Amino acid sequence: MGRVNPFPLPPLATDESHGEQLLELRPLVVRTVRLVVGAGSAIAEDAAQEALLELDRALPQLREPQAARAYAARIAARVALRIARRERRFRLLGVVERQIEPEPEQPADLVELKHAFDSLPPRQRAVAVLRLYVGLSERETAEALGCGIGTVKRQLHDARAALRRYLRPEMNEENEGGRA
């Protein structure tokens, strides 16, 4: 007699339209998670899989099919934020995450941009991803992250300022020199 698995996995994409919708949303979910967690992190791959599983479980309950993209981004951002915060705590405790192999030769500007983006706190990264990459409105971003519209505006403002400081340090020196 075979053993019964006490922790069965939920069925994935049971109907054809659900499976098609999940396949269509997969690139958005994976890219959103990678950008929020950090593209060079092996944990990003695990987080993307977790987000896809959550999306697969949640899609059948979605009442408005036209909201699927925003809903998928919401799930991806929340999973990614949870994972990013956990990893940040691990780093503070001295537990180092595993790294994936570096991507083959990339333009220096792209590598610098990735480093700048990865230096942002997880919440600012999530707001920037949802607003600038996914294209959600301020209201949709606020709903996705469970915060107010003012918080979204402030986080995006702070993220842009931090990226500007990271990518253009010479402008910081000029601004500081003029204020003395």
Side-chain angles (χ1 to χ4, degrees):
M1 183 192 255
R3 284 183 56 197
V4 174
N5 184 352
F7 306 106
L9 290 174
L12 298 178
T14 51
D15 72 28
E16 199 171 309
S17 66
H18 174 75
E20 288 173 10
Q21 192 174 30
L22 191 61
L23 279 174
E24 182 182 313
L25 294 170
R26 185 182 186 282
L28 169 71
V29 170
V30 170
R31 186 70 178 147
T32 300
V33 169
R34 283 182 181 164
L35 288 171
V36 174
V37 173
S41 169
I43 281 75
E45 300 305 317
D46 296 339
Q49 291 302 316
E50 188 176 324
L52 286 167
L53 283 171
E54 283 192 28
L55 180 61
D56 182 60
R57 285 185 218 118
L59 271 178
Q61 284 85 38
L62 187 62
R63 288 185 224 136
E64 298 177 33
Q66 66 273 17
R69 186 171 165 79
Y71 192 59
R74 175 183 187 168
I75 289 173
R78 287 191 173 186
V79 168
L81 270 175
R82 186 173 61 238
I83 301 285
R85 287 179 180 139
R86 183 187 71 204
E87 291 307 309
R88 191 174 212 179
R89 286 190 300 269
F90 284 163
R91 278 194 304 275
L92 290 173
L93 294 171
V95 179
V96 181
E97 69 182 40
R98 40 189 181 134
Q99 294 292 319
I100 58 175
E101 292 295 319
E103 294 180 28
E105 295 295 316
Q106 294 182 336
D109 290 348
L110 180 59
V111 172
E112 186 177 13
L113 181 60
K114 283 183 178 182
H115 287 296
F117 206 76
D118 288 347
S119 74
L120 293 174
R123 184 71 165 216
Q124 286 180 9
R125 235 180 310 169
V127 168
V129 168
L130 293 176
R131 289 284 292 131
L132 304 174
Y133 173 73
V134 177
L136 297 184
S137 69
E138 289 171 344
R139 182 187 55 76
E140 291 170 326
T141 301
E143 287 173 5
L145 298 175
C147 64
I149 292 174
T151 302
V152 168
K153 290 178 180 182
R154 184 70 203 182
Q155 293 286 328
L156 185 58
H157 172 80
D158 291 349
R160 285 178 168 155
L163 290 172
R164 204 174 300 115
R165 283 191 306 274
Y166 188 97
L167 295 170
R168 297 186 187 151
E170 69 280 355
M171 288 182 69
N172 298 331
E173 293 169 8
E174 289 174 14
N175 289 340
E176 289 174 8
R179 292 184 184 156

